[in-house]
Amino acid sequence: MVLALVLAEIVARLASSTFSPQQWTKLEQFSSVREGSAFVIDPEMGFRPVLGYREHEGREVYSRYGTIKNEYSLRKPPGIRRVLFLGDSVTARGAIVKALRKAYGDQGIEYWNAGVESFNTRQEVEFYRRFNFQIDPDQVVLTLHINDFQVTPVAFVDEDGLLKVYSPNRSLTGWQRFLFHHSALYRHFQALLLTQNEPFVEAATEVRNALRQLQGLLGDEVRLDVLIFPVLKQGEEWTQREQRAGQAALEICQDLQLQCFDLTPLMFQRLEAGKAVRQRPKDIWHPNEDFAREIAAYLHNEGLLAPF
């Protein structure tokens, strides 16, 4: 038994690992904000973008309100409708938001983007509760991505070039500091646990609760719309979990009486016509510019940003 463990440890040390022996302190310190980091650890959200000025880059990416830098002032001019977009990387990269802005124009509308790479619905709602509410939006458009129904760890490189891995819905409680630092086998084991998906029902319940919470935060004065964004594959290529997620998204919108726009049929029509939908050939999550423009045209026809 001991020999087997020794051999396993040797093999583990030869293989590349998600975690480094020095990684523990970075995973542990939720309250430390290191100057220049693109992301910081947050006890409620797991991680979030650095807000305000980034010294090492000499620029501001996210404002102190948690929105991607834009030309608008916090004071809302008279007669202006302020639209806030929440979501993950599909929102943050801005293709759909830019296409909507081109379709609707700037007359009477402000477009505020609070998308964050790798965020899920729960994180997006918490981000709004903590920061985005300050812009006082008139309308919120949340992109509910099919992959929001799975909980996976997020990895990014910090300013020192070190890989950081965080799983927002998992606690580090119970992890052994000594083993984490000295055993590659233990680090591989913890990395494996982090990559396992949560049960689907639990994930769906989390999405539902987050959207219900957002409804409560917005109240009756702020309009909430939800875009259901599909996995960019032919229908027969969807996994059973992806199919369940698409159905669950529709059911949640119906149960909560949310105004929903399902982009799945539009994606299938485009694929059937032989048109590309992906930003990159192997990227099943992000739309290319042509598909984004088609999405914006569809949403324009459906009156997404029409006057209330």
Side-chain angles (χ1 to χ4, degrees):
M1 179 66 178
V2 174
L3 179 60
L5 287 174
V6 171
L7 291 175
E9 177 67 26
I10 292 173
V11 172
R13 294 191 178 198
L14 294 174
S16 60
S17 175
T18 300
F19 298 114
S20 69
Q22 296 78 26
Q23 204 69 44
W24 178 279
T25 56
K26 300 181 185 303
L27 288 167
E28 183 184 53
Q29 295 171 0
F30 287 98
S31 61
S32 65
V33 178
R34 300 181 64 190
E35 184 178 353
S37 297
F39 290 91
V40 293
I41 303 308
D42 185 278
E44 283 80 28
M45 287 176 274
F47 70 98
R48 64 168 174 80
V50 171
L51 305 186
Y53 190 72
R54 294 185 188 172
E55 287 289 346
H56 74 303
E57 294 183 9
R59 65 187 179 122
E60 181 180 274
V61 178
Y62 282 86
S63 71
R64 64 181 183 275
Y65 321 120
T67 56
I68 295 174
K69 185 175 174 59
N70 58 44
E71 71 273 24
Y72 308 123
S73 64
L74 183 61
R75 180 186 290 273
K76 184 166 52 180
I80 291 293
R81 181 154 51 95
R82 181 165 287 177
V83 183
L84 174 67
F85 294 87
L86 302 180
D88 62 4
S89 54
V90 171
T91 302
R93 297 184 187 186
I96 295 176
V97 177
K98 291 175 184 176
L100 281 169
R101 184 171 185 172
K102 187 172 182 179
Y104 278 95
D106 293 311
Q107 189 65 34
I109 303 179
E110 290 182 351
Y111 305 81
W112 292 68
N113 189 339
V116 178
E117 294 273 342
S118 300
F119 259 17
N120 60 29
T121 308
R122 179 184 63 81
Q123 292 168 302
E124 291 153 14
V125 173
E126 180 63 19
F127 201 50
Y128 176 85
R129 187 189 72 81
R130 294 260 303 280
F131 302 107
N132 305 149
F133 78 93
Q134 299 175 81
I135 74 165
D136 190 24
D138 300 295
Q139 181 176 0
V140 171
V141 178
L142 181 144
T143 297
L144 177 57
H145 205 298
I146 289 299
N147 65 10
D148 286 353
F149 289 84
Q150 60 188 23
V151 180
T152 55
V154 176
F156 58 88
V157 178
D158 71 1
E159 74 279 9
D160 296 324
L162 296 175
L163 182 67
K164 294 184 177 181
V165 181
Y166 305 102
S167 188
N169 290 347
R170 290 184 184 271
S171 170
L172 299 179
T173 302
W175 286 29
Q176 298 298 317
R177 179 192 295 268
F178 179 84
L179 288 176
F180 189 94
H181 184 76
H182 294 283
S183 172
L185 182 62
Y186 183 79
R187 293 193 296 275
H188 276 285
F189 173 71
Q190 293 297 349
L192 178 63
L193 290 181
L194 282 176
T195 58
Q196 292 179 346
N197 289 338
E198 298 288 341
F200 181 84
V201 173
E202 180 180 340
T205 300
E206 180 178 276
V207 171
R208 182 189 302 272
N209 291 341
L211 289 175
R212 184 183 290 115
Q213 180 187 6
L214 183 58
Q215 284 181 306
L217 292 170
L218 298 178
D220 297 330
E221 300 301 319
V222 181
R223 174 174 163 180
L224 173 60
D225 297 276
V226 175
L227 310 182
I228 300 176
F229 195 87
V231 56
L232 302 178
K233 299 187 294 187
Q234 296 281 2
E236 61 270 19
E237 297 176 356
W238 283 38
T239 66
Q240 183 179 15
R241 187 183 182 94
E242 290 164 350
Q243 294 173 9
R244 292 181 67 190
Q247 184 60 39
L250 291 171
E251 292 174 355
I252 289 171
C253 286
Q254 183 177 5
D255 292 346
L256 298 181
Q257 298 182 342
L258 288 168
Q259 176 77 0
C260 261
F261 300 86
D262 185 6
L263 303 179
T264 308
L266 183 67
M267 188 266 297
F268 285 151
Q269 291 172 14
R270 187 173 174 88
L271 288 177
E272 289 173 3
K275 298 179 180 179
V277 296
R278 300 177 181 179
Q279 189 177 54
R280 296 183 180 85
K282 295 183 179 181
D283 182 356
I284 62 173
W285 305 120
H286 305 98
N288 59 29
E289 291 186 1
D290 286 343
F291 185 34
R293 284 192 290 267
E294 192 167 331
I295 290 171
Y298 163 75
L299 295 173
H300 183 274
N301 290 336
E302 293 295 315
L304 172 68
L305 303 185
F308 299 161

